[in-house]
């Protein structure tokens, strides 16, 4: 197992942390043997405790733990949008429909990083700060505070609406600094970051 293998010195925990949230349907995080309550607060609490328990177990075995924040995800499939841009008629129609304020290859950060993703990110950052794990801040590499990019020079950073391509992974991790989460967690508590 990962816990027992001395050759494994670092573990990267990554996932679509906000994925199980359709609380109205009773989805969410549960502990083994627990009956889903459908309550979002209980689910987030379970996510926090499960992630923290996992990180603490790994850290107790002297593993370095890195937790990745979710990659932004988009309302349309970036690959289809980019391919469509190479077709002249579609390109012109898209320009007419989008208007001058929109740019191909990016989308509003409020759409690409919805509220559930922001809640999950705050939990991940807090858990990292409390356990000594480090953060891979993928949104920081792909978003500028207003928009998130899904292509660079016409090349897709994604293979679908949420999964990074090989190029996307390189771009996201090239500029992503693994950092100490304590200052970020302090800023979250002060309400500086949302």
């Amino acid at each position: 197992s990962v816990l027992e293998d001395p050759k494994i010195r670092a573990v990267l925990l990554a996932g679509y942390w906000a994925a199980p949230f359709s609380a109205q349907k009773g989805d969410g995080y549960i502990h083994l043997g627990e009956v889903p309550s459908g309550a979002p607060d209980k689910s987030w609490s379970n996510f926090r405790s499960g992630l923290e328990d996992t990180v603490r177990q790994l850290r107790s075995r002297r593993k370095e733990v890195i937790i990745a924040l979710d990659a932004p995800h988009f309302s349309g499939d970036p690959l289809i949008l980019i391919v469509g841009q190479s077709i002249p008629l579609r390109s012109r129609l898209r320009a007419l429909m989008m208007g001058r304020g929109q740019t191909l290859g990016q989308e509003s950060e409020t759409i690409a990083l919805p509220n559930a993703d922001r809640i999950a990110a705050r939990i991940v950052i807090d858990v990292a700060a409390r356990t000594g794990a480090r953060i891979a801040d993928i949104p920081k590499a792909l978003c500028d505070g207003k928009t998130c990019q899904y292509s660079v020079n016409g090349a897709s950073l994604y293979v679908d609406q949420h999964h990074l391509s090989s190029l996307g992974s390189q771009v996201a991790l090239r500029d992503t600094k693994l950092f100490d989460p304590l200052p970020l967690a302090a800023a979250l508590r002060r309400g500086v970051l949302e």
Side-chain angles (χ1 to χ4, degrees):
S1 84
V2 171
L3 280 174
E4 305 300 327
D5 191 337
K7 294 177 191 165
I8 299 174
R9 295 183 306 215
V11 177
L12 172 65
L13 300 175
Y16 183 6
W17 305 121
F21 285 99
S22 182
Q24 305 86 306
K25 297 178 185 174
D27 297 342
Y29 289 100
I30 60 170
H31 290 294
L32 290 176
E34 184 177 57
V35 176
S37 71
D41 289 345
K42 177 65 173 161
S43 185
W44 285 122
S45 175
N46 287 344
F47 169 59
R48 176 187 301 277
S49 63
L51 182 61
E52 188 166 333
D53 289 347
T54 300
V55 173
R56 288 194 187 283
Q57 285 182 37
L58 291 164
R59 300 280 294 148
S60 74
R61 301 297 175 100
R62 300 192 187 313
K63 312 282 185 197
E64 178 179 9
V65 178
I66 301 133
I67 311 171
L69 297 181
D70 284 341
H73 47 103
F74 299 94
S75 58
D77 186 329
L79 200 52
I80 291 171
L81 293 171
I82 292 164
V83 168
Q85 187 67 13
S86 68
I87 301 169
L89 180 57
R90 280 193 183 173
S91 178
R92 287 189 197 112
L93 286 173
R94 181 171 172 79
L96 288 172
M97 290 172 32
M98 290 177 66
R100 296 186 185 266
Q102 294 286 340
T103 304
L104 181 69
Q106 62 187 31
E107 186 166 89
S108 164
E109 191 170 293
T110 57
I111 294 171
L113 293 170
N115 190 49
D117 288 7
R118 293 172 192 272
I119 293 169
R122 285 193 294 269
I123 291 170
V124 167
I125 290 165
D126 182 59
V127 166
R130 293 164 15 122
T131 61
R134 294 168 56 130
I135 299 288
D137 192 346
I138 293 170
K140 187 175 184 177
L142 299 176
C143 304
D144 63 11
K146 294 180 183 173
T147 60
C148 297
Q149 64 181 1
Y150 58 79
S151 73
V152 173
N153 298 326
S156 181
L157 301 176
Y158 284 77
V159 295
D160 60 26
Q161 290 169 287
H162 194 265
H163 295 93
L164 292 169
S165 66
S166 179
L167 173 63
S169 297
Q170 291 170 23
V171 169
L173 295 176
R174 179 190 66 212
D175 295 330
T176 299
K177 307 283 189 283
L178 296 177
F179 63 89
D180 180 347
L182 292 174
L184 188 54
L188 282 170
R189 284 192 293 277
R190 289 192 315 270
V192 174
L193 300 174
E194 296 194 281

